[in-house]
Structures are given as structure tokens and as C-alpha cells.
Amino acid sequence: MMKTVLFIVGPTAVGKTAIGVDLALTFGGEVISGDSMQVYKGLDIGTAKVTSEERKGVPHHLIDTLSPGEAFSASSFQREAFQLIDQLFLNERLPIVVGGTGLYIKGLTKNLSFHDTDPDEGLRAELEDILAAEGPAALHQRLKQQDPKSAESIHWNNGKKLIRAIEIVETTGSTLTEFGADVEEEPSYQTLLIGLTMERSKLYERINLRVDQMVEQGLVEEARQLYTSRLEQSQAAKAIGYKEFFPYFAGEQSLDDAILQLKQNSRRFAKRQLTWFRNKENVEWFDRTNDTYENTLQKITDYVKGNSKESSNINI
């Protein structure tokens, strides 16, 4: 019988963590974090990392596994998550992937083939310096000399894609086309995607309130530790919740302005998350705007029971 992997997705602050834990308790599952920042040790408040009390004894995976200076990519997540899923299947446990990092989730639901190169920090820094000093046109010209086909397909003003294409050709010797594009294949398991959503204004209120609570809990001090560790260029330091405070630490901005910027960035991020999951995934949505937590949980529980009867790893 085909086994099932359950996904809990949606925007930040909508309540995915609690739903994931309670479904794990109901169906005999374990949680795999699908958040790109919760893998980092010490980044607890800004990532809204699930606490030991909130876990209610449910095992959680891919949390606190790396130091902030280490890199973690979508392909890294996919590789480790697939290993965890296979192990949970062997143990007759339900894997529940909880998170809002769209590409991480798609890597599992579509079995994407990622073709990552190991990051060359020196080259990346050089290219970013060129982008800042000379603009994207200089990068476009550099790519055109080495990979004309990619230069033709990538807009001259898209600095991020230009840097990535140059990285590939200069670190692998292959053009972007030769290196390979993402390939979608059917996964070997059933995927059930549960999406949590909420009316926009209410969600934004929750986000603003959560930022205030994070500040009260010590977010500024947590961000300062990352800043003073001189890891400003690391992947972790670029996360929403930390980078907003760096101008404040540098004396370039007030604390109030930094907090306002964090709220704005978080709201924009939530909007992007909703757009991603609505456009790229087959999600069953549950609107929490006017519903209690208990009612939402019951509806989701009933949906899982009604749509996974052919699966052998859900304890119904």
C-alpha cells in the first residue's frame, strides 16, 4: 500500500506549528521542519522555533542541526528529509512536514532534482561587489562571454540569477543548460497538503503582534549575538527577523524603525508564501479567520481520515 506524507503549509504566524503537533498526536506521527532557518542553533526567537513545551513530546526533526555560519540549501533539505521519511515509514510513523519554505516543500512533493554546486564564498563575494559597484550589466556581459545562451535567457537586470549562472559556469565548467534544470517526477508516496490561511488584515495583525512578543522575549539580543559573531554574510544572518536589526546595531537606524521594518518584511513574506502555495502546490485550504482552533483541527483531522484510507502508515 502507498504510504502517506502529510504537509502543513501556509504563511508565517497562521498557526502551523500547533496543528502539526496535534495531528502527530492523533495519527502517530513525527514532525519534520520545513523551515529554512529553524535548522540553526541559537536562532530560536526570530524563527518562532517550536519550544519543548509546544512539542508535547512529539519528536521534531531538522531543528537545531547546524551552526549559523553553515550553509543549508533546498537540496540539502531534500536529501535529509527523504532519509527521515524513509526511516519514519520503516517505524510505521506518519511524517508530517511543517513549514512555509516553498521550494523545500516542492522538493518533496514534486521530487525535484536539484543541481546545486558547493558555494564558493570568494567568488560569490567578488560577484556581489561587482553588482554593487558596476551594476548588473557588468555581470551580464561577463556571463555573455562564458555562457551566451544563458545570458540571452536571463534579463540583464536580474543580478541574483546572473550571479547564480556565473557561479555554475565558473565552478563546474558547465553552462547552465548543460548543468541541468529542475526535473519534476512523481514521488513514491501519497502527499496530502494542508494549507492554513486567514483573512489578510487579521493575519497582518497576528504578525505585528508576534513581532512585538518576539522583541519582549529577547529578539534584539538574539540578533545582536548573530551580528557580533561577524556572520553578516551568512545565510542565517540574511533571514527575516535578524537582518532588520543590523542597521540599528551599526548606529544607522533607530530601534523603533528596525522593528517597523521587520513587521513590514514579515507581512510581505507572508504574502509571497500564500502566492507560492496557491500557484505551485495542490493544497487543501482551511481558513482560520472566523473559526476556532478546535474546529479547524477537527476539520483537518476529518479530511486526513477521509483521504488516506489506502495508506498503511496512518493510525486511524
Side-chain angles (χ1 to χ4, degrees):
M1 299 175 72
M2 179 174 284
K3 294 183 181 294
T4 298
V5 178
L6 183 62
F7 295 82
I8 311 298
V9 302
T12 185
V14 78
K16 300 184 294 294
T17 297
I19 291 289
V21 168
D22 284 336
L23 289 175
L25 291 172
T26 299
F27 294 116
E30 298 185 15
V31 172
I32 298 172
S33 171
D35 184 292
S36 62
M37 290 297 131
Q38 292 193 0
V39 293
Y40 292 112
K41 301 172 185 176
L43 304 188
D44 302 331
I45 302 171
T47 64
K49 192 176 294 178
V50 59
T51 66
S52 57
E53 293 78 13
E54 291 170 338
R55 297 182 195 193
K56 299 180 181 178
V58 172
H60 281 62
H61 305 276
L62 295 185
I63 291 178
D64 290 333
T65 62
L66 297 178
S67 299
E70 297 181 83
F72 193 68
S73 67
S75 61
S76 303
F77 168 80
Q78 184 193 56
R79 181 176 60 254
E80 296 193 27
F82 276 154
Q83 291 174 353
L84 286 166
I85 288 170
D86 287 343
Q87 187 59 53
L88 291 175
F89 284 165
L90 288 174
N91 296 338
E92 298 186 351
R93 304 287 286 172
L94 171 66
I96 304 178
V97 183
V98 180
T101 302
L103 189 58
Y104 283 22
I105 303 301
K106 189 176 180 182
L108 302 183
T109 61
K110 305 298 185 183
N111 197 14
L112 290 184
S113 177
F114 291 106
H115 300 282
D116 282 354
T117 58
D118 292 330
D120 184 328
E121 300 299 340
L123 177 59
R124 172 63 66 91
E126 175 195 342
L127 297 175
E128 289 179 345
D129 286 345
I130 293 173
L131 179 62
E134 304 176 38
L139 293 177
H140 191 263
Q141 185 61 33
R142 179 164 169 168
L143 179 62
K144 188 175 181 180
Q145 295 172 355
Q146 303 176 81
D147 186 357
K149 188 172 182 179
S150 295
E152 185 177 339
S153 64
I154 299 174
H155 193 278
W156 69 268
N157 199 34
N158 193 329
K160 184 176 181 180
K161 284 191 175 182
L162 290 168
I163 287 175
R164 180 62 180 149
I166 294 171
E167 276 187 317
I168 288 175
V169 72
E170 294 192 10
T171 57
T172 71
S174 300
T175 66
L176 190 61
T177 302
E178 292 169 342
F179 196 64
D182 290 345
V183 178
E184 295 191 13
E185 302 174 355
E186 287 297 321
S188 59
Y189 45 77
Q190 177 193 19
T191 60
L192 287 181
L193 279 86
I194 305 297
L196 301 180
T197 188
M198 188 175 289
E199 194 276 324
R200 190 70 56 86
S201 62
K202 186 172 181 179
L203 177 63
Y204 286 176
E205 288 177 8
R206 286 171 63 96
I207 289 172
N208 291 339
L209 176 61
R210 186 161 80 166
V211 169
D212 289 335
Q213 292 172 338
M214 286 177 170
V215 172
E216 292 176 2
Q217 293 166 0
L219 176 59
V220 179
E221 290 72 22
E222 190 172 270
R224 191 188 300 275
Q225 290 179 3
L226 190 59
Y227 179 77
T228 56
S229 66
R230 302 193 181 280
L231 294 172
E232 297 98 320
Q233 299 305 314
S234 68
Q235 180 178 335
K238 296 177 182 177
I240 294 174
Y242 299 98
K243 62 182 180 180
E244 290 82 5
F245 293 102
F246 292 176
Y248 164 63
F249 299 144
E252 301 168 356
Q253 193 179 56
S254 70
L255 178 58
D256 287 344
D257 285 344
I259 294 172
L260 287 174
Q261 186 66 57
L262 172 53
K263 290 179 178 179
Q264 184 181 67
N265 288 349
S266 298
R267 294 192 299 267
R268 288 174 175 171
F269 179 52
K271 183 178 179 180
R272 292 196 302 271
Q273 288 175 302
L274 282 168
T275 300
W276 172 281
F277 288 114
R278 284 173 176 159
N279 292 342
K280 297 182 181 294
E281 297 285 2
N282 182 24
V283 178
E284 183 73 19
W285 291 99
F286 293 83
D287 194 323
R288 297 199 57 206
T289 305
N290 298 311
D291 211 355
T292 65
Y293 176 84
E294 290 74 17
N295 284 342
T296 301
L297 177 61
Q298 187 59 56
K299 290 176 182 177
I300 294 173
T301 301
D302 292 342
Y303 174 79
V304 174
K305 289 180 178 179
N307 288 273
S308 54
K309 292 181 179 179
E310 296 302 317
S311 301
S312 61
N313 64 318
I314 296 183
N315 298 318
I316 298 177

